[in-house]
């Protein structure tokens, strides 16, 4: 717990560094450009499709008539854009996570290593290809869990807990791997991810809950259409900063745990004993003092003995 809290406040301070803020601009520009392009191409089509689906629903028609009876007849025009935005939000979250993972996490991890762990050896236990495979496999599992648990989101408590757990698990899988890929060997990475699984998952869940804040900005952008163009980049930048903080938290925690793992005394094994020098396993100091150098040198220190000729 001490390591978890220590790495938390260090990550919060690092988020104030101009270098971190500057690094968050590139993913922001890419995601805003991608979101703007998708919105320009498909926004009207998506809203029209959702509105048609709402109009075709018989049980929703009763609800719309009730809203009209209480003076909320225009609510129907707001619901369709809101549903499109909420459906689009997971795509933005995933895009932000992937952008931060590939564009920011390696640089932030090296920055933490340079400032706190300058002598930490890089063992390169994970290649770029393996990182890509690990990320997309984890992403498929998270999206599958998201689809399977959608009916449970109708229960109010589960609607808050399940997304945080899913995104937290995905963040933990992606960030922990990327942080340890350059500095830890494959065996060290497996050991750390098994030993600190709950801590890594806790970091992911906390940052997943922090990522719920931009959803309020999405909703505000739908309700106040005039500010939508401004609020959408703000929401995406908040996502980027949340995942940047997550990268820093994983980096501080993971590298500190890796350093502690390497500082642990190595267990005595048969290989260690066999690789020891003969002097280290021959005689005790007391025998050497009593018998002289002959106890350590089988030749008794004599080097000029002429071999006896064979008869």
């Amino acid at each position: 717990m001490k390591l978890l809290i220590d790495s938390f406040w260090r990550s919060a301070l690092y988020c104030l560094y101009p270098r971190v803020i500057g690094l968050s601009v590139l993913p922001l520009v890419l995601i805003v450009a991608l979101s703007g392009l998708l919105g320009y191409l498909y926004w009207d089509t998506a809203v029209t499709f959702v509105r048609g689906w709402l109009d075709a629903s018989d049980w929703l028609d009763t609800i719309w008539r009730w809203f009209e009876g209480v003076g909320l007849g225009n609510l129907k025009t707001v619901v369709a854009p809101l549903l499109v935005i909420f459906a689009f939000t997971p795509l933005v979250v995933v895009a932000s996570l992937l952008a931060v993972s590939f564009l920011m996490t390696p640089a932030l991890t090296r920055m933490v290593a340079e400032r706190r762990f300058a002598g930490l050896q890089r063992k390169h236990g994970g290649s770029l290809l393996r990182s890509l495979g690990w990320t997309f496999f984890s992403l498929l599992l998270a999206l599958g869990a998201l689809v399977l648990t959608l009916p449970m989101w109708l229960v109010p408590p589960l609607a808050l807990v399940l997304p945080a757990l899913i995104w937290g698990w995905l963040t933990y899988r992606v960030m922990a791997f990327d942080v340890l890929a350059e500095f830890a060997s494959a065996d060290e990475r497996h050991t750390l991810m098994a030993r600190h699984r709950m801590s890594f998952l806790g970091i992911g869940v906390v940052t997943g809950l922090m990522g719920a804040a931009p959803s309020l900005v999405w909703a505000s952008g739908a309700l106040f259409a005039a500010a939508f163009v401004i609020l959408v980049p703000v929401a995406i930048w908040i996502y980027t900063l949340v995942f940047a903080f997550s990268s820093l938290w994983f980096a501080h925690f993971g590298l500190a745990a890796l350093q502690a793992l390497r500082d642990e005394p190595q267990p005595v094994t048969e290989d260690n004993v066999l690789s020891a020098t003969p002097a280290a396993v021959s005689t005790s100091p007391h025998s050497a003092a009593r018998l002289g150098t002959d106890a350590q040198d089988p030749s008794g220190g004599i080097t000029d003995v002429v071999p006896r000729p064979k008869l």
Side-chain angles (χ1 to χ4, degrees):
M1 182 61 69
K2 181 180 179 181
L3 178 58
L4 201 63
I5 297 175
D6 178 77
S7 56
F8 174 85
W9 71 260
R10 288 180 184 274
S11 304
L13 291 178
Y14 272 52
C15 285
L16 302 177
Y17 287 2
R19 182 178 176 183
V20 176
I21 297 175
L23 285 172
S24 66
V25 173
L26 181 58
L28 172 66
V29 172
L30 293 177
I31 298 171
V32 167
L34 179 62
S35 302
L37 178 62
L38 292 176
Y40 176 78
L41 294 176
Y42 301 108
W43 173 260
D44 292 336
T45 304
V47 172
T48 302
F49 173 79
V50 173
R51 191 170 294 160
W53 175 74
L54 294 175
D55 292 337
S57 178
D58 295 333
W59 65 276
L60 285 177
D61 187 60
T62 305
I63 298 177
W64 301 136
R65 286 200 300 266
W66 181 82
F67 279 128
E68 291 175 358
V70 297
L72 297 176
N74 294 328
L75 185 63
K76 190 175 182 179
T77 60
V78 179
V79 172
L82 271 177
L83 291 178
V84 173
I85 290 173
F86 289 149
F88 182 67
T89 298
L91 299 178
V92 175
V93 173
V94 171
S96 301
L97 176 60
L98 295 179
V100 171
S101 174
F102 293 114
L103 298 178
M104 291 185 66
T105 300
L108 294 177
T109 304
R110 295 189 192 103
M111 183 179 71
V112 172
E114 292 170 1
R115 291 176 176 269
R116 292 190 61 201
F117 309 98
L120 193 63
Q121 181 184 1
R122 290 171 167 85
K123 294 189 176 181
H124 302 282
S127 62
L128 178 60
L129 183 61
R130 183 175 296 179
S131 177
L132 289 172
W134 179 273
T135 298
F136 284 106
F137 177 70
S138 301
L139 177 60
L140 289 177
L141 292 178
L143 292 178
L146 191 68
V147 172
L148 292 176
T149 58
L150 277 178
M152 302 180 187
W153 290 27
L154 298 176
V155 182
L158 294 180
L160 298 175
V161 174
L162 287 177
L165 289 177
I166 294 173
W167 297 129
W169 179 85
L170 178 61
T171 304
Y172 138 66
R173 293 266 298 184
V174 173
M175 295 294 183
F177 187 96
D178 289 342
V179 163
L180 298 174
E182 181 176 353
F183 289 86
S185 64
D187 292 337
E188 288 174 335
R189 187 181 70 249
H190 295 154
T191 300
L192 290 174
M193 293 185 71
R195 180 181 298 182
H196 301 286
R197 178 176 287 110
M198 296 309 298
S199 296
F200 280 135
L201 182 59
I203 296 174
V205 171
V206 170
T207 52
L209 291 173
M210 293 171 60
S215 300
L216 302 177
V217 182
W218 288 118
S220 300
L223 295 175
F224 305 102
F228 186 75
V229 177
I230 299 175
L231 291 176
V232 168
V234 170
I236 295 175
W237 190 51
I238 294 175
Y239 276 124
T240 305
L241 284 179
V242 167
F243 286 122
F245 170 77
S246 175
S247 296
L248 288 168
W249 197 356
F250 276 103
H252 280 287
F253 184 91
L255 295 183
L258 177 61
Q259 184 67 66
L261 176 65
R262 291 181 180 176
D263 290 340
E264 292 178 358
Q266 298 297 322
V268 178
T269 61
E270 184 179 353
D271 294 336
N272 293 337
V273 174
L274 292 177
S275 62
T277 59
V281 296
S282 58
T283 58
S284 65
H286 300 288
S287 301
R290 180 167 52 87
L291 301 176
T293 58
D294 294 347
Q296 296 184 12
D297 189 353
S299 64
I302 301 173
T303 59
D304 56 350
V305 176
V306 179
R308 180 182 300 177
K310 296 182 179 180
L311 298 178

